[in-house]
Amino acid sequence: MNRWTSETYRKNAAYVPALGAAVLELLNPQPGEQILDLGCGEGSLTERIVAAGASVVGVDVSEEMVAGARARGLDARVMDAVRLPFDGEFDAVFSNAALHWVRDHDAMLAGVYRALKPGGRVVAEFGGHGNIAAIQVAIRSVLARRRWNTNIHRFYATPEEYAARLESHGFRVMQIDLIPRPTPLPTGMRGWLETFERATLDEIPPAERESFIVEVEDLLREEVCDAAGNWTAHYVRLRFRSCKPNP
């Protein structure tokens, strides 16, 4: 479970929704459409879909993030992506930078398929194969060296793998691409770790957390930090558009 707050997210990761313009354009929301935003976070992109004239329900597993979305006046609900209760209610399901956290994609996709009206579409972007590979290796190396066991989960699929999974749930895949996106980190590797590895840090003894961060930074510095001290995360995104066929 992710333990970040909307305040931490805005401080260290505001670039995530800011980089969602392309997937939002692919969604192309229309006035009057009913759209489900899956993993809506604090609602930055949800708000833009509403501004296009659509009626949007945002769901997220984080109570803190949902509170942030509700503060924007959005219909946001605390909900697990693998337990969607909707049935034939939405013209589209949208998601940005969230699905790699989902543990059971088969359960999620079954729920998304059920939630859509016939002919409805799914447009999403999340971490793809090779995403933040150097950061992942550094974190796992430090954890292994210190013999700490933490429950790290992320799902980074190839286009071929995920297209096959979508099709196995009845979707027709219209577009699926892997997109490299090196991204500057405004608060450095420390800010990234304190946001996206919050769950890992919480499982490490408090007295050891600072040394863990420093050791990960030291392992990564030569590869992803320039001479001026600017850090870059080598993101790779999987972006797709698929639909629930009409009967």
Side-chain angles (χ1 to χ4, degrees):
M1 179 178 178
N2 302 319
R3 297 178 174 88
W4 57 56
T5 66
S6 57
E7 181 181 351
T8 301
Y9 198 83
R10 283 193 299 269
K11 175 185 174 184
N12 297 326
Y15 59 85
V16 174
L19 292 171
V23 69
L24 188 59
E25 183 178 350
L26 189 62
L27 174 67
N28 189 24
Q30 298 299 305
E33 284 192 316
Q34 305 290 319
I35 297 178
L36 175 65
D37 186 353
L38 189 57
C40 66
E42 38 74 65
S44 296
L45 293 180
T46 321
E47 199 170 48
R48 292 174 63 181
I49 300 171
V50 170
S55 177
V56 187
V57 174
V59 300
D60 201 285
V61 74
S62 167
E63 293 182 6
E64 288 272 0
M65 299 297 265
V66 166
R70 288 175 177 167
R72 295 173 181 260
L74 300 169
D75 180 357
R77 311 173 190 181
V78 177
M79 193 176 295
D80 193 325
V82 304
R83 296 182 179 86
L84 299 176
F86 309 108
D87 191 351
E89 298 178 37
F90 296 102
D91 299 291
V93 175
F94 172 79
S95 185
N96 180 61
L99 301 187
H100 45 265
W101 301 107
V102 175
R103 289 183 175 274
D104 188 344
H105 275 246
D106 290 313
M108 180 200 68
L109 289 174
V112 167
Y113 191 90
R114 187 175 58 250
L116 285 169
K117 301 173 184 177
R121 65 198 185 280
V122 185
V123 176
E125 180 177 303
F126 62 105
H129 186 68
N131 190 49
I132 57 165
I135 298 174
Q136 290 266 81
V137 170
I139 290 169
R140 292 180 186 278
S141 296
V142 175
L143 291 173
R145 191 186 70 76
R146 299 186 181 208
R147 295 179 178 167
W148 289 332
N149 294 315
T150 63
N151 188 20
I152 297 175
H153 171 81
R154 294 185 182 90
F155 174 68
Y156 299 141
T158 65
E160 295 77 14
E161 177 185 4
Y162 210 72
R165 186 168 291 210
L166 286 162
E167 289 166 352
S168 75
H169 285 274
F171 292 100
R172 182 166 66 88
V173 179
M174 296 173 283
Q175 176 182 340
I176 188 163
D177 301 295
L178 204 60
I179 303 161
R181 186 188 291 156
T183 304
L185 301 180
T187 56
M189 186 53 58
R190 176 177 293 271
W192 192 95
L193 291 168
E194 290 176 345
T195 303
F196 296 109
E197 290 299 328
R198 186 73 262 163
T200 301
L201 289 171
D202 286 348
E203 292 185 34
I204 292 172
E208 306 278 358
R209 290 172 190 167
E210 175 63 20
S211 62
F212 169 80
I213 291 172
V214 169
E215 188 170 351
V216 171
E217 285 182 316
D218 287 344
L219 279 174
L220 288 168
R221 194 177 309 278
E222 187 172 342
E223 300 300 325
V224 298
C225 184
D226 66 19
N230 300 307
W231 291 86
T232 298
H234 289 86
Y235 283 105
V236 180
R237 310 316 267 177
L238 185 69
R239 184 187 301 157
F240 70 88
R241 180 171 175 261
S242 64
C243 71
K244 177 179 181 176
N246 283 303

